[in-house]
Amino acid sequence: MKTKIIVIVGPTAVGKTALAIEVAKRFGGEVVSGDSQQVYRRLDIGTAKASLEEQAAVPHHLIDVREVTESYSAFDFVSEAKKAIEDIQSRGKLAIIAGGTGLYIQSLLEGYHLGGETPHEEILAYRASLEPYSDEELVHLVEQAGLEIPQFNRRRAIRALEIAHFGQDLENQETLYEPLIICLDDERSQLYERINRRVDLMFEAGLLDEAKWLFDHYPDVQAAKGIGYKELFPYFRGEQTLEEANESLKQATRRFAKRQLTWFRNRMQVTFYQIGEPDVQDRILSQIEEFLDD
């Protein structure tokens, strides 16, 4: 019997953490972070981690599990998320995955993980190269590769082609979970306003000091390439004003949010909720209750 889990995804700054905590309180759950940057210790502000108070109110997993000098991959996430979910379930609790790193969450839910030496950028580039193909063209590619896909759909076709293309670096596994995937969204101008406001609040909370520490000590590590830090490095090098760096960060975050939504819309089977609509949280909680009771 597959494990029922709740998955809350969406663009940055849309309110995933707050909803995950509310769901955890309502249904006796614990939160597993699905964010590629929140794993790093000392990077708190730029990664928008749940506050210490929020983490005290509801247990959180996969936060602060790596030093900034260490790497972290989808393979690591899937392995550690599985262990966290198993631990949560063993204590009779509900696992709630919350985050915006689509590659990680999709890899966990769809029954395969990424391993080997293939850089994730190559996998993403290959997926992107398949997106423009029509269903008929994908069928042809699948047939050419000698693959069989029961009940053809785009997601399965692309997944099968990835596994065939990358060989042992993509291990196909039976999915362990029955997820309810909720994707939060907002009217575009409102979302961008939320993002801009979040960036300003991050600066007020000390983002500049956090980024400067990373720049001074570990400017070339994987963690330093995340949005929220690398956009400030030109300022530290004297190449931009602080105002220009602030705007650069806002622009990069808005573009990232757009890419996140595209991922969740095209590559995962999600239920969208507009956070600006009346009674949206009540409707989400009602859907979760029905899902868990079914």
Side-chain angles (χ1 to χ4, degrees):
M1 184 176 180
K2 295 182 178 181
T3 301
K4 287 189 175 184
I5 61 175
I6 306 301
V7 182
I8 300 172
V9 298
T12 185
V14 79
K16 298 183 295 293
T17 297
L19 177 61
I21 291 172
E22 181 61 31
V23 171
K25 290 179 177 179
R26 177 72 66 93
F27 298 101
E30 299 183 10
V31 178
V32 179
S33 171
D35 186 286
S36 62
Q37 288 290 102
Q38 293 184 358
V39 299
Y40 293 112
R41 301 183 185 102
R42 295 195 64 166
L43 302 187
D44 303 327
I45 301 169
T47 64
K49 288 176 187 171
S51 67
L52 294 179
E53 292 77 14
E54 289 171 326
Q55 294 186 48
V58 170
H60 282 65
H61 302 260
L62 303 194
I63 291 179
D64 294 335
V65 295
R66 290 290 192 281
E67 299 295 342
V68 295
T69 53
E70 297 179 287
S71 62
Y72 195 74
S73 68
F75 176 84
D76 296 322
F77 170 76
V78 171
S79 300
E80 295 175 22
K82 284 181 177 178
K83 292 178 183 177
I85 294 170
E86 184 177 347
D87 172 57
I88 293 167
Q89 185 189 29
S90 72
R91 291 180 281 103
K93 301 292 186 178
L94 173 67
I96 303 155
I97 315 296
T101 306
L103 172 62
Y104 285 17
I105 296 172
Q106 185 181 13
S107 298
L108 173 68
L109 299 182
E110 295 199 351
Y112 67 86
H113 64 250
L114 308 180
E117 301 300 324
T118 304
H120 301 144
E121 292 78 8
E122 289 187 22
I123 298 170
L124 290 172
Y126 181 72
R127 288 183 183 176
S129 73
L130 296 175
E131 290 294 340
Y133 286 96
S134 67
D135 287 355
E136 292 75 14
E137 289 170 328
L138 285 175
V139 168
H140 182 63
L141 289 175
V142 167
E143 291 175 347
Q144 279 188 323
L147 305 173
E148 294 184 4
I149 303 177
Q151 298 178 331
F152 175 90
N153 64 42
R154 292 187 62 84
R155 290 167 59 252
R156 288 178 177 171
I158 291 175
R159 173 183 171 184
L161 289 167
E162 287 172 354
I163 294 170
H165 183 80
F166 291 104
Q168 64 182 2
D169 281 350
L170 282 178
E171 181 180 336
N172 196 15
Q173 299 177 332
E174 176 64 25
T175 179
L176 303 173
Y177 311 112
E178 180 185 350
L180 172 62
I181 311 176
I182 293 165
C183 185
L184 301 181
D185 195 6
D186 200 0
E187 194 274 324
R188 189 60 54 90
S189 63
Q190 293 297 316
L191 177 61
Y192 287 176
E193 185 176 326
R194 293 167 69 93
I195 288 171
N196 293 342
R197 178 58 178 160
R198 170 181 275 190
V199 170
D200 289 337
L201 290 173
M202 285 179 170
F203 271 87
E204 292 175 13
L207 174 61
L208 206 60
D209 291 337
E210 190 172 272
K212 186 63 163 59
W213 172 83
L214 189 60
F215 176 80
D216 287 341
H217 295 89
Y218 308 105
D220 299 317
V221 298
Q222 177 181 329
K225 296 177 173 60
I227 293 175
Y229 300 101
K230 60 185 175 63
E231 292 80 12
L232 301 181
F233 286 8
Y235 167 69
F236 299 140
R237 292 192 294 262
E239 299 168 358
Q240 286 185 344
T241 67
L242 184 57
E243 182 179 354
E244 288 171 335
N246 177 291
E247 181 52 41
S248 177
L249 176 51
K250 289 176 179 176
Q251 184 180 65
T253 307
R254 294 193 298 266
R255 289 174 176 171
F256 176 57
K258 186 176 180 179
R259 293 196 302 272
Q260 287 175 300
L261 283 168
T262 298
W263 185 292
F264 296 128
R265 185 177 294 112
N266 294 341
R267 301 179 181 179
M268 297 176 65
Q269 293 180 329
V270 306
T271 301
F272 277 95
Y273 283 93
Q274 296 290 321
I275 62 172
E277 293 180 354
D279 304 321
V280 63
Q281 181 168 291
D282 290 340
R283 289 188 285 116
I284 292 172
L285 295 175
S286 178
Q287 184 185 13
I288 292 174
E289 187 171 14
E290 291 177 6
F291 170 73
L292 296 175
D293 289 342
D294 185 9

